[in-house]
Amino acid sequence: MPTYILTAFDKSGEKLLDETFEAANDEEAKKIGEQKLREHHCHDKTHRCVTSSGKLILFHR
């Protein structure tokens, strides 16, 4: 399974979330990433989810 990295930041630049997880494909990873952001109350913060090769699949600023 591919590996994905999810990070979220505060406006000050402080890292609020930094998680690595696996998913079957990019679409599933996007759903998992959005769920993790809601669980950690970071869905309205600047965040990104990328593949281990650097492909951006989820971004919010």
Side-chain angles (χ1 to χ4, degrees):
M1 274 196 189
T3 302
Y4 297 86
I5 301 100
L6 177 66
T7 52
F9 301 89
D10 196 0
K11 289 186 185 238
S12 68
E14 177 187 358
K15 194 181 293 186
L16 303 172
L17 181 66
D18 188 9
E19 286 196 22
T20 302
F21 63 94
E22 293 183 341
N25 56 47
D26 292 352
E27 198 59 39
E28 181 182 341
K30 187 175 177 181
K31 290 177 186 176
I32 291 170
E34 290 171 340
Q35 179 183 355
K36 287 181 179 288
L37 289 165
R38 285 191 297 277
E39 288 172 3
H40 293 279
H41 307 287
C42 293
H43 59 280
D44 61 339
K45 305 289 184 189
T46 299
H47 59 263
R48 67 178 175 225
C49 185
V50 296
T51 65
S52 58
S53 64
K55 179 181 173 187
L56 184 66
I57 61 164
L58 181 64
F59 180 77
H60 173 73
R61 197 167 90 153

mmCIF file of all heavy atoms in Angstrom, residues 22-59:
data_model
loop_
_atom_site.group_PDB
_atom_site.id
_atom_site.type_symbol
_atom_site.label_atom_id
_atom_site.label_comp_id
_atom_site.label_asym_id
_atom_site.label_seq_id
_atom_site.Cartn_x
_atom_site.Cartn_y
_atom_site.Cartn_z
ATOM 1 N N GLU A 22 -1.160 4.733 5.554
ATOM 2 C CA GLU A 22 -1.249 4.002 4.294
ATOM 3 C C GLU A 22 -2.684 3.985 3.804
ATOM 4 O O GLU A 22 -3.620 3.987 4.606
ATOM 5 C CB GLU A 22 -0.761 2.569 4.474
ATOM 6 C CG GLU A 22 0.718 2.455 4.771
ATOM 7 C CD GLU A 22 1.179 1.011 4.876
ATOM 8 O OE1 GLU A 22 0.345 0.112 5.081
ATOM 9 O OE2 GLU A 22 2.395 0.797 4.749
ATOM 10 N N ALA A 23 -2.838 3.960 2.497
ATOM 11 C CA ALA A 23 -4.154 3.870 1.871
ATOM 12 C C ALA A 23 -4.005 3.130 0.548
ATOM 13 O O ALA A 23 -2.914 3.098 -0.041
ATOM 14 C CB ALA A 23 -4.734 5.259 1.639
ATOM 15 N N ALA A 24 -5.087 2.552 0.078
ATOM 16 C CA ALA A 24 -5.057 1.769 -1.153
ATOM 17 C C ALA A 24 -4.798 2.637 -2.384
ATOM 18 O O ALA A 24 -4.162 2.196 -3.343
ATOM 19 C CB ALA A 24 -6.363 1.005 -1.314
ATOM 20 N N ASN A 25 -5.303 3.892 -2.364
ATOM 21 C CA ASN A 25 -5.133 4.790 -3.512
ATOM 22 C C ASN A 25 -5.297 6.239 -3.055
ATOM 23 O O ASN A 25 -5.607 6.499 -1.891
ATOM 24 C CB ASN A 25 -6.138 4.438 -4.631
ATOM 25 C CG ASN A 25 -7.565 4.456 -4.132
ATOM 26 O OD1 ASN A 25 -7.996 5.381 -3.460
ATOM 27 N ND2 ASN A 25 -8.308 3.400 -4.451
ATOM 28 N N ASP A 26 -5.120 7.181 -3.974
ATOM 29 C CA ASP A 26 -5.182 8.602 -3.637
ATOM 30 C C ASP A 26 -6.556 9.024 -3.129
ATOM 31 O O ASP A 26 -6.661 9.837 -2.210
ATOM 32 C CB ASP A 26 -4.806 9.458 -4.845
ATOM 33 C CG ASP A 26 -3.347 9.332 -5.232
ATOM 34 O OD1 ASP A 26 -2.577 8.688 -4.478
ATOM 35 O OD2 ASP A 26 -2.975 9.879 -6.288
ATOM 36 N N GLU A 27 -7.600 8.481 -3.719
ATOM 37 C CA GLU A 27 -8.963 8.853 -3.309
ATOM 38 C C GLU A 27 -9.235 8.413 -1.866
ATOM 39 O O GLU A 27 -9.806 9.173 -1.073
ATOM 40 C CB GLU A 27 -9.990 8.234 -4.265
ATOM 41 C CG GLU A 27 -11.344 8.875 -4.201
ATOM 42 C CD GLU A 27 -11.327 10.363 -4.525
ATOM 43 O OE1 GLU A 27 -10.603 10.803 -5.426
ATOM 44 O OE2 GLU A 27 -12.075 11.100 -3.853
ATOM 45 N N GLU A 28 -8.848 7.206 -1.529
ATOM 46 C CA GLU A 28 -9.017 6.723 -0.156
ATOM 47 C C GLU A 28 -8.160 7.552 0.802
ATOM 48 O O GLU A 28 -8.600 7.901 1.902
ATOM 49 C CB GLU A 28 -8.634 5.249 -0.039
ATOM 50 C CG GLU A 28 -8.830 4.700 1.364
ATOM 51 C CD GLU A 28 -8.409 3.244 1.504
ATOM 52 O OE1 GLU A 28 -8.301 2.538 0.484
ATOM 53 O OE2 GLU A 28 -8.171 2.830 2.649
ATOM 54 N N ALA A 29 -6.947 7.893 0.385
ATOM 55 C CA ALA A 29 -6.062 8.699 1.230
ATOM 56 C C ALA A 29 -6.657 10.075 1.494
ATOM 57 O O ALA A 29 -6.551 10.594 2.603
ATOM 58 C CB ALA A 29 -4.705 8.840 0.559
ATOM 59 N N LYS A 30 -7.298 10.647 0.498
ATOM 60 C CA LYS A 30 -7.942 11.948 0.670
ATOM 61 C C LYS A 30 -9.040 11.857 1.730
ATOM 62 O O LYS A 30 -9.144 12.716 2.605
ATOM 63 C CB LYS A 30 -8.508 12.427 -0.667
ATOM 64 C CG LYS A 30 -9.051 13.821 -0.643
ATOM 65 C CD LYS A 30 -9.470 14.254 -2.023
ATOM 66 C CE LYS A 30 -10.094 15.634 -1.990
ATOM 67 N NZ LYS A 30 -10.525 16.079 -3.311
ATOM 68 N N LYS A 31 -9.850 10.812 1.680
ATOM 69 C CA LYS A 31 -10.915 10.622 2.668
ATOM 70 C C LYS A 31 -10.344 10.401 4.070
ATOM 71 O O LYS A 31 -10.816 10.983 5.047
ATOM 72 C CB LYS A 31 -11.800 9.438 2.274
ATOM 73 C CG LYS A 31 -12.647 9.701 1.057
ATOM 74 C CD LYS A 31 -13.440 8.478 0.666
ATOM 75 C CE LYS A 31 -14.177 8.718 -0.641
ATOM 76 N NZ LYS A 31 -14.885 7.528 -1.120
ATOM 77 N N ILE A 32 -9.309 9.580 4.174
ATOM 78 C CA ILE A 32 -8.676 9.316 5.468
ATOM 79 C C ILE A 32 -8.068 10.605 6.010
ATOM 80 O O ILE A 32 -8.206 10.924 7.196
ATOM 81 C CB ILE A 32 -7.609 8.211 5.342
ATOM 82 C CG1 ILE A 32 -8.274 6.864 5.052
ATOM 83 C CG2 ILE A 32 -6.763 8.129 6.610
ATOM 84 C CD1 ILE A 32 -7.299 5.764 4.674
ATOM 85 N N GLY A 33 -7.392 11.357 5.146
ATOM 86 C CA GLY A 33 -6.784 12.618 5.552
ATOM 87 C C GLY A 33 -7.809 13.603 6.081
ATOM 88 O O GLY A 33 -7.606 14.228 7.127
ATOM 89 N N GLU A 34 -8.931 13.737 5.383
ATOM 90 C CA GLU A 34 -9.991 14.648 5.832
ATOM 91 C C GLU A 34 -10.560 14.206 7.175
ATOM 92 O O GLU A 34 -10.839 15.039 8.036
ATOM 93 C CB GLU A 34 -11.085 14.733 4.770
ATOM 94 C CG GLU A 34 -10.623 15.480 3.525
ATOM 95 C CD GLU A 34 -11.600 15.399 2.374
ATOM 96 O OE1 GLU A 34 -12.469 14.486 2.354
ATOM 97 O OE2 GLU A 34 -11.494 16.244 1.468
ATOM 98 N N GLN A 35 -10.712 12.909 7.372
ATOM 99 C CA GLN A 35 -11.214 12.376 8.641
ATOM 100 C C GLN A 35 -10.230 12.680 9.776
ATOM 101 O O GLN A 35 -10.636 13.126 10.851
ATOM 102 C CB GLN A 35 -11.443 10.875 8.533
ATOM 103 C CG GLN A 35 -11.930 10.243 9.819
ATOM 104 C CD GLN A 35 -12.068 8.734 9.698
ATOM 105 O OE1 GLN A 35 -11.886 8.164 8.623
ATOM 106 N NE2 GLN A 35 -12.386 8.086 10.793
ATOM 107 N N LYS A 36 -8.945 12.463 9.546
ATOM 108 C CA LYS A 36 -7.930 12.744 10.569
ATOM 109 C C LYS A 36 -7.891 14.233 10.912
ATOM 110 O O LYS A 36 -7.725 14.603 12.077
ATOM 111 C CB LYS A 36 -6.557 12.277 10.106
ATOM 112 C CG LYS A 36 -6.395 10.769 10.124
ATOM 113 C CD LYS A 36 -5.002 10.380 9.673
ATOM 114 C CE LYS A 36 -4.791 8.889 9.704
ATOM 115 N NZ LYS A 36 -4.694 8.349 11.039
ATOM 116 N N LEU A 37 -8.052 15.092 9.916
ATOM 117 C CA LEU A 37 -8.077 16.533 10.164
ATOM 118 C C LEU A 37 -9.256 16.911 11.059
ATOM 119 O O LEU A 37 -9.105 17.723 11.979
ATOM 120 C CB LEU A 37 -8.148 17.299 8.844
ATOM 121 C CG LEU A 37 -6.871 17.275 8.010
ATOM 122 C CD1 LEU A 37 -7.160 17.725 6.589
ATOM 123 C CD2 LEU A 37 -5.796 18.139 8.650
ATOM 124 N N ARG A 38 -10.423 16.329 10.817
ATOM 125 C CA ARG A 38 -11.592 16.604 11.658
ATOM 126 C C ARG A 38 -11.369 16.094 13.078
ATOM 127 O O ARG A 38 -11.700 16.777 14.047
ATOM 128 C CB ARG A 38 -12.848 15.992 11.055
ATOM 129 C CG ARG A 38 -13.394 16.761 9.856
ATOM 130 C CD ARG A 38 -14.776 16.297 9.446
ATOM 131 N NE ARG A 38 -14.801 14.913 9.017
ATOM 132 C CZ ARG A 38 -14.480 14.477 7.800
ATOM 133 N NH1 ARG A 38 -14.111 15.345 6.876
ATOM 134 N NH2 ARG A 38 -14.541 13.213 7.488
ATOM 135 N N GLU A 39 -10.800 14.898 13.214
ATOM 136 C CA GLU A 39 -10.549 14.312 14.532
ATOM 137 C C GLU A 39 -9.616 15.186 15.369
ATOM 138 O O GLU A 39 -9.765 15.269 16.580
ATOM 139 C CB GLU A 39 -9.922 12.922 14.390
ATOM 140 C CG GLU A 39 -10.868 11.864 13.899
ATOM 141 C CD GLU A 39 -10.162 10.547 13.592
ATOM 142 O OE1 GLU A 39 -8.937 10.431 13.819
ATOM 143 O OE2 GLU A 39 -10.846 9.627 13.116
ATOM 144 N N HIS A 40 -8.643 15.833 14.711
ATOM 145 C CA HIS A 40 -7.659 16.651 15.419
ATOM 146 C C HIS A 40 -8.016 18.141 15.384
ATOM 147 O O HIS A 40 -7.187 18.975 15.761
ATOM 148 C CB HIS A 40 -6.270 16.434 14.815
ATOM 149 C CG HIS A 40 -5.747 15.056 15.039
ATOM 150 N ND1 HIS A 40 -5.147 14.664 16.219
ATOM 151 C CD2 HIS A 40 -5.744 13.958 14.252
ATOM 152 C CE1 HIS A 40 -4.792 13.405 16.141
ATOM 153 N NE2 HIS A 40 -5.146 12.943 14.945
ATOM 154 N N HIS A 41 -9.221 18.464 14.918
ATOM 155 C CA HIS A 41 -9.720 19.843 14.838
ATOM 156 C C HIS A 41 -8.783 20.734 14.026
ATOM 157 O O HIS A 41 -8.523 21.880 14.396
ATOM 158 C CB HIS A 41 -9.929 20.416 16.242
ATOM 159 C CG HIS A 41 -10.788 19.554 17.108
ATOM 160 N ND1 HIS A 41 -12.152 19.451 16.916
ATOM 161 C CD2 HIS A 41 -10.472 18.732 18.131
ATOM 162 C CE1 HIS A 41 -12.645 18.602 17.801
ATOM 163 N NE2 HIS A 41 -11.650 18.141 18.549
ATOM 164 N N CYS A 42 -8.291 20.200 12.935
ATOM 165 C CA CYS A 42 -7.367 20.938 12.069
ATOM 166 C C CYS A 42 -7.934 21.166 10.667
ATOM 167 O O CYS A 42 -7.217 21.656 9.794
ATOM 168 C CB CYS A 42 -6.039 20.184 11.956
ATOM 169 S SG CYS A 42 -5.101 20.109 13.478
ATOM 170 N N HIS A 43 -9.199 20.829 10.436
ATOM 171 C CA HIS A 43 -9.751 20.918 9.084
ATOM 172 C C HIS A 43 -9.815 22.355 8.558
ATOM 173 O O HIS A 43 -9.822 22.572 7.362
ATOM 174 C CB HIS A 43 -11.133 20.261 9.021
ATOM 175 C CG HIS A 43 -12.126 20.871 9.954
ATOM 176 N ND1 HIS A 43 -12.158 20.572 11.291
ATOM 177 C CD2 HIS A 43 -13.106 21.775 9.750
ATOM 178 C CE1 HIS A 43 -13.115 21.259 11.880
ATOM 179 N NE2 HIS A 43 -13.697 21.999 10.965
ATOM 180 N N ASP A 44 -9.828 23.357 9.457
ATOM 181 C CA ASP A 44 -9.866 24.744 9.022
ATOM 182 C C ASP A 44 -8.489 25.407 9.062
ATOM 183 O O ASP A 44 -8.356 26.591 8.789
ATOM 184 C CB ASP A 44 -10.856 25.537 9.859
ATOM 185 C CG ASP A 44 -10.490 25.543 11.337
ATOM 186 O OD1 ASP A 44 -9.747 24.656 11.782
ATOM 187 O OD2 ASP A 44 -10.979 26.440 12.054
ATOM 188 N N LYS A 45 -7.464 24.640 9.375
ATOM 189 C CA LYS A 45 -6.087 25.131 9.409
ATOM 190 C C LYS A 45 -5.409 24.839 8.068
ATOM 191 O O LYS A 45 -5.902 24.041 7.276
ATOM 192 C CB LYS A 45 -5.287 24.439 10.529
ATOM 193 C CG LYS A 45 -5.901 24.542 11.894
ATOM 194 C CD LYS A 45 -5.804 25.930 12.439
ATOM 195 C CE LYS A 45 -6.342 25.960 13.862
ATOM 196 N NZ LYS A 45 -6.462 27.307 14.365
ATOM 197 N N THR A 46 -4.289 25.477 7.830
ATOM 198 C CA THR A 46 -3.510 25.174 6.634
ATOM 199 C C THR A 46 -3.028 23.736 6.725
ATOM 200 O O THR A 46 -2.468 23.324 7.736
ATOM 201 C CB THR A 46 -2.307 26.130 6.517
ATOM 202 O OG1 THR A 46 -2.793 27.470 6.422
ATOM 203 C CG2 THR A 46 -1.465 25.797 5.294
ATOM 204 N N HIS A 47 -3.303 22.947 5.685
ATOM 205 C CA HIS A 47 -2.912 21.537 5.715
ATOM 206 C C HIS A 47 -2.622 21.026 4.312
ATOM 207 O O HIS A 47 -3.003 21.647 3.325
ATOM 208 C CB HIS A 47 -3.981 20.672 6.388
ATOM 209 C CG HIS A 47 -5.315 20.732 5.722
ATOM 210 N ND1 HIS A 47 -6.311 21.556 6.164
ATOM 211 C CD2 HIS A 47 -5.831 20.055 4.665
ATOM 212 C CE1 HIS A 47 -7.395 21.388 5.413
ATOM 213 N NE2 HIS A 47 -7.114 20.481 4.482
ATOM 214 N N ARG A 48 -1.920 19.886 4.296
ATOM 215 C CA ARG A 48 -1.615 19.230 3.020
ATOM 216 C C ARG A 48 -1.462 17.737 3.264
ATOM 217 O O ARG A 48 -1.085 17.297 4.343
ATOM 218 C CB ARG A 48 -0.359 19.797 2.392
ATOM 219 C CG ARG A 48 0.887 19.466 3.196
ATOM 220 C CD ARG A 48 2.141 19.986 2.547
ATOM 221 N NE ARG A 48 3.258 19.738 3.437
ATOM 222 C CZ ARG A 48 4.187 20.615 3.723
ATOM 223 N NH1 ARG A 48 4.142 21.818 3.191
ATOM 224 N NH2 ARG A 48 5.171 20.303 4.533
ATOM 225 N N CYS A 49 -1.738 16.991 2.228
ATOM 226 C CA CYS A 49 -1.508 15.555 2.248
ATOM 227 C C CYS A 49 -0.799 15.226 0.943
ATOM 228 O O CYS A 49 -1.265 15.613 -0.133
ATOM 229 C CB CYS A 49 -2.817 14.784 2.363
ATOM 230 S SG CYS A 49 -2.588 12.998 2.548
ATOM 231 N N VAL A 50 0.338 14.541 1.067
ATOM 232 C CA VAL A 50 1.136 14.199 -0.108
ATOM 233 C C VAL A 50 1.471 12.715 -0.091
ATOM 234 O O VAL A 50 1.476 12.071 0.951
ATOM 235 C CB VAL A 50 2.443 15.017 -0.174
ATOM 236 C CG1 VAL A 50 2.156 16.490 -0.338
ATOM 237 C CG2 VAL A 50 3.301 14.776 1.040
ATOM 238 N N THR A 51 1.768 12.196 -1.273
ATOM 239 C CA THR A 51 2.245 10.822 -1.386
ATOM 240 C C THR A 51 3.710 10.795 -0.979
ATOM 241 O O THR A 51 4.363 11.836 -0.891
ATOM 242 C CB THR A 51 2.112 10.297 -2.827
ATOM 243 O OG1 THR A 51 2.989 11.058 -3.649
ATOM 244 C CG2 THR A 51 0.682 10.386 -3.345
ATOM 245 N N SER A 52 4.242 9.618 -0.771
ATOM 246 C CA SER A 52 5.660 9.501 -0.407
ATOM 247 C C SER A 52 6.574 9.997 -1.532
ATOM 248 O O SER A 52 7.711 10.373 -1.289
ATOM 249 C CB SER A 52 5.998 8.060 -0.045
ATOM 250 O OG SER A 52 5.702 7.208 -1.126
ATOM 251 N N SER A 53 6.049 10.054 -2.752
ATOM 252 C CA SER A 53 6.838 10.573 -3.886
ATOM 253 C C SER A 53 6.648 12.086 -4.071
ATOM 254 O O SER A 53 7.261 12.667 -4.960
ATOM 255 C CB SER A 53 6.468 9.838 -5.174
ATOM 256 O OG SER A 53 5.118 10.084 -5.514
ATOM 257 N N GLY A 54 5.788 12.708 -3.237
ATOM 258 C CA GLY A 54 5.622 14.159 -3.282
ATOM 259 C C GLY A 54 4.393 14.660 -4.014
ATOM 260 O O GLY A 54 4.194 15.868 -4.107
ATOM 261 N N LYS A 55 3.554 13.791 -4.535
ATOM 262 C CA LYS A 55 2.343 14.218 -5.233
ATOM 263 C C LYS A 55 1.341 14.788 -4.235
ATOM 264 O O LYS A 55 0.991 14.140 -3.244
ATOM 265 C CB LYS A 55 1.715 13.026 -5.970
ATOM 266 C CG LYS A 55 0.452 13.382 -6.707
ATOM 267 C CD LYS A 55 -0.121 12.160 -7.392
ATOM 268 C CE LYS A 55 -1.469 12.457 -7.992
ATOM 269 N NZ LYS A 55 -2.099 11.237 -8.499
ATOM 270 N N LEU A 56 0.877 16.002 -4.467
ATOM 271 C CA LEU A 56 -0.076 16.685 -3.605
ATOM 272 C C LEU A 56 -1.487 16.179 -3.898
ATOM 273 O O LEU A 56 -1.950 16.249 -5.039
ATOM 274 C CB LEU A 56 0.011 18.185 -3.841
ATOM 275 C CG LEU A 56 -0.834 19.088 -2.974
ATOM 276 C CD1 LEU A 56 -0.372 19.022 -1.519
ATOM 277 C CD2 LEU A 56 -0.737 20.525 -3.476
ATOM 278 N N ILE A 57 -2.179 15.640 -2.868
ATOM 279 C CA ILE A 57 -3.542 15.146 -3.109
ATOM 280 C C ILE A 57 -4.589 15.904 -2.310
ATOM 281 O O ILE A 57 -5.765 15.815 -2.597
ATOM 282 C CB ILE A 57 -3.655 13.635 -2.812
ATOM 283 C CG1 ILE A 57 -3.345 13.318 -1.362
ATOM 284 C CG2 ILE A 57 -2.782 12.832 -3.756
ATOM 285 C CD1 ILE A 57 -3.821 11.940 -0.949
ATOM 286 N N LEU A 58 -4.153 16.672 -1.301
ATOM 287 C CA LEU A 58 -5.094 17.439 -0.474
ATOM 288 C C LEU A 58 -4.370 18.679 0.002
ATOM 289 O O LEU A 58 -3.238 18.597 0.485
ATOM 290 C CB LEU A 58 -5.540 16.580 0.713
ATOM 291 C CG LEU A 58 -6.542 17.170 1.703
ATOM 292 C CD1 LEU A 58 -7.871 17.450 1.007
ATOM 293 C CD2 LEU A 58 -6.760 16.206 2.856
ATOM 294 N N PHE A 59 -5.010 19.865 -0.148
ATOM 295 C CA PHE A 59 -4.369 21.110 0.262
ATOM 296 C C PHE A 59 -5.427 22.116 0.652
ATOM 297 O O PHE A 59 -6.459 22.239 -0.001
ATOM 298 C CB PHE A 59 -3.508 21.674 -0.871
ATOM 299 C CG PHE A 59 -2.824 22.956 -0.521
ATOM 300 C CD1 PHE A 59 -1.697 22.935 0.282
ATOM 301 C CD2 PHE A 59 -3.313 24.151 -0.982
ATOM 302 C CE1 PHE A 59 -1.048 24.121 0.618
ATOM 303 C CE2 PHE A 59 -2.676 25.336 -0.656
ATOM 304 C CZ PHE A 59 -1.542 25.320 0.146
#
